[in-house]
Amino acid sequence: MSKVRTLEPRGKAAEALDTPTDLSEQAVQEISAAMNAVLADTFALYLKTKNFHWHISGPHFRDYHLLLDEQAEQIFATTDVIAERVRKIGQPTLRSIGDISRQQRLSDNDAPYVEPQDMLAELRDDNQRVVASMREAHDVCDEHNDVASASLLETFIDDAEKRVWFLYEASRKGDPTGH
């Protein structure tokens, strides 16, 4: 008995959006749900990072402004890759700001002013939450032998951990040992 499944369109989406895959129906449902949740959080993190980029102030303005802009670009670059992966396995992905807000697990920050150190700490924590959700999605992918989605997540986890590191280092207070 062959372990390779035949690629067949599924009836779960509109006929025009149907995509063949060798993943089981259960795998497609679980992986796409996990990836769409990561995608919603990624969009929320992108917008918060841009918000803080636009509203940062103080003596380290230039450094923080550039750091947050660079991080926002990196975060935004992952959105298309994640969404296209969901489509490749035959499911729809996010469609609107409302869809993102219904699925995101990160909190927005609509405060009129946030201290720069608090911005960096909040983004550090949010990036750590995104890492945790990507690890959970990776576990789902592993469970269903979806190496392509797992591989993408591995790269994005590494990128997010680097953002956490930079935000941690930029937000340290006190002496060089962090005390």
Side-chain angles (χ1 to χ4, degrees), residues 104-157:
Q104 78 183 60
R105 296 163 294 186
L106 297 181
S107 298
D108 292 331
N109 187 327
D110 297 327
Y113 178 77
V114 179
E115 289 289 334
Q117 292 300 311
D118 293 337
M119 288 178 177
L120 299 177
E122 187 171 333
L123 289 173
R124 180 197 63 225
D125 293 347
D126 284 346
N127 274 277
Q128 286 177 314
R129 285 183 193 94
V130 168
V131 166
S133 70
M134 286 190 285
R135 288 186 200 283
E136 291 169 8
H138 190 283
D139 289 344
V140 173
C141 296
D142 281 349
E143 178 184 330
H144 296 292
N145 198 29
D146 180 3
V147 295
S149 296
S151 178
L152 293 174
L153 289 167
E154 289 165 5
T155 299
F156 297 153
I157 288 168

Side-chain angles (χ1 to χ4, degrees), residues 8-155:
E8 296 179 18
R10 303 171 195 281
K12 64 192 162 298
E15 188 81 20
L17 296 179
D18 218 359
T19 305
T21 181
D22 65 341
L23 296 169
S24 71
E25 181 68 29
Q26 179 180 354
V28 168
Q29 293 299 320
E30 291 176 10
I31 293 165
S32 62
M35 295 294 277
N36 275 327
V38 168
L39 182 59
D41 286 343
T42 301
F43 272 116
L45 180 60
Y46 166 74
L47 191 55
K48 184 184 284 187
T49 303
K50 287 304 280 191
N51 170 29
F52 289 169
H53 159 79
W54 295 322
H55 296 101
I56 196 90
S57 65
H60 301 287
F61 167 79
R62 185 177 190 285
D63 292 335
Y64 293 165
H65 184 76
L66 294 174
L67 172 68
L68 297 182
D69 196 35
E70 177 182 296
Q71 290 193 355
E73 286 177 16
Q74 182 186 66
I75 293 164
F76 187 72
T78 67
T79 60
D80 193 52
V81 177
I82 295 169
E84 286 183 355
R85 183 64 197 154
V86 172
R87 288 292 300 122
K88 285 178 198 176
I89 64 171
Q91 282 294 292
T93 193
L94 303 175
R95 292 184 170 93
S96 66
I97 296 295
D99 200 7
I100 292 167
S101 70
R102 286 186 294 277
Q103 293 193 47
Q104 78 183 60
R105 296 163 294 186
L106 297 181
S107 298
D108 292 331
N109 187 327
D110 297 327
Y113 178 77
V114 179
E115 289 289 334
Q117 292 300 311
D118 293 337
M119 288 178 177
L120 299 177
E122 187 171 333
L123 289 173
R124 180 197 63 225
D125 293 347
D126 284 346
N127 274 277
Q128 286 177 314
R129 285 183 193 94
V130 168
V131 166
S133 70
M134 286 190 285
R135 288 186 200 283
E136 291 169 8
H138 190 283
D139 289 344
V140 173
C141 296
D142 281 349
E143 178 184 330
H144 296 292
N145 198 29
D146 180 3
V147 295
S149 296
S151 178
L152 293 174
L153 289 167
E154 289 165 5
T155 299

